[in-house]
Amino acid sequence: MIRKSVGLFSLSLMMLTVACKKESAADKITEADMKAIQTENAIAGKLAKVQFDKEVHDFGTIAEGAIVETEFMVTNIGDSDLIIFEAKGSCGCTVPQPPKEPIKPGDSAPIKVSFDSKGKPGEQEKSVTLKTNTVNGHEMFKIKANVTPAEKTAITK
C-alpha cells in the first residue's frame, strides 16, 4: 500500500513538473548538455553541419534611426539534429531571432535579424554568433550598412 502511494506520488510529481511550463527544446539545454551532445555525436560520427544562404547581408545606405530587418536561411547539411543554443549580436543594436526547435538533417529554418541604426552613423559591420552543436560549437554571419547621419536641428533663440 505504501509502495503504491509513493509510486503514484512520484508519478504525479513528475507529470506536474513536466506539464507546468511549456518550453522549447533549446530552453531546456544547458552548455554542459551541448558539450555532451557534441561528444556523443562525434563518437557516433554524426554531426550537425550548418550552411547559410549567405554569409553577409548588406543593407546598403540607410538613414540613421531606421530599423531594418533581414533573414538568413540556415540549412542543416549534417547527420544529426542542429541545435542553436544561443544567438547573440555583436552589440545591442543587432538582434537575432533563431529557431527554437532543432533543425533536422536536410531541413532549413530562418534566422531573422534586425538592426537599429539609431546613434550609429557611418559604415557599420555587425556579427551574429550562434552557439550550436556543430563541430566548432559556434557559427557566425554578418550584416553591414552605410548609415547616413541624421541632420542636427539647430536651436534658435
Side-chain angles (χ1 to χ4, degrees), residues 19-76:
C20 280
K21 184 178 176 191
K22 184 175 179 3
E23 297 177 327
S24 71
D27 291 338
K28 298 177 187 176
I29 297 173
T30 66
E31 197 154 343
D33 293 335
M34 285 297 289
K35 289 187 187 299
I37 290 168
Q38 286 172 302
T39 302
E40 192 175 297
N41 287 341
I43 290 169
K46 294 186 173 198
L47 294 169
K49 188 173 180 186
V50 169
Q51 181 178 46
F52 294 109
D53 63 335
K54 55 190 171 189
E55 297 289 327
V56 177
H57 178 81
D58 190 345
F59 288 108
T61 301
I62 61 173
E64 183 178 352
I67 298 174
V68 290
E69 296 181 344
T70 189
E71 211 172 71
F72 286 80
M73 191 60 70
V74 60
T75 302
N76 180 2

Side-chain angles (χ1 to χ4, degrees), residues 1-153:
M1 179 77 167
I2 292 175
R3 181 183 245 173
K4 224 181 224 185
S5 297
V6 170
L8 285 173
F9 176 74
S10 298
L11 180 62
S12 298
L13 185 60
M14 184 174 69
M15 290 181 70
L16 181 62
T17 303
V18 172
C20 280
K21 184 178 176 191
K22 184 175 179 3
E23 297 177 327
S24 71
D27 291 338
K28 298 177 187 176
I29 297 173
T30 66
E31 197 154 343
D33 293 335
M34 285 297 289
K35 289 187 187 299
I37 290 168
Q38 286 172 302
T39 302
E40 192 175 297
N41 287 341
I43 290 169
K46 294 186 173 198
L47 294 169
K49 188 173 180 186
V50 169
Q51 181 178 46
F52 294 109
D53 63 335
K54 55 190 171 189
E55 297 289 327
V56 177
H57 178 81
D58 190 345
F59 288 108
T61 301
I62 61 173
E64 183 178 352
I67 298 174
V68 290
E69 296 181 344
T70 189
E71 211 172 71
F72 286 80
M73 191 60 70
V74 60
T75 302
N76 180 2
I77 59 171
D79 299 318
S80 68
D81 288 1
L82 170 64
I83 300 169
I84 299 174
F85 180 70
E86 180 180 58
K88 251 187 185 167
S90 56
C91 79
C93 62
T94 305
V95 181
Q97 296 175 336
K100 294 189 183 281
E101 297 301 319
I103 303 170
K104 302 276 183 208
D107 286 353
S108 299
I111 298 175
K112 294 180 182 181
V113 179
S114 64
F115 171 67
D116 184 351
S117 64
K118 182 178 179 182
K120 304 279 184 203
E123 290 290 327
Q124 299 294 317
E125 183 173 293
K126 307 296 179 187
S127 62
V128 173
T129 303
L130 307 175
K131 283 190 180 179
T132 64
N133 64 326
T134 59
V135 72
N136 295 335
H138 65 277
E139 304 295 329
M140 187 177 9
F141 54 85
K142 295 180 179 186
I143 60 168
K144 294 168 42 171
N146 180 20
V147 181
T148 304
E151 290 187 30
K152 307 275 188 221
T153 54

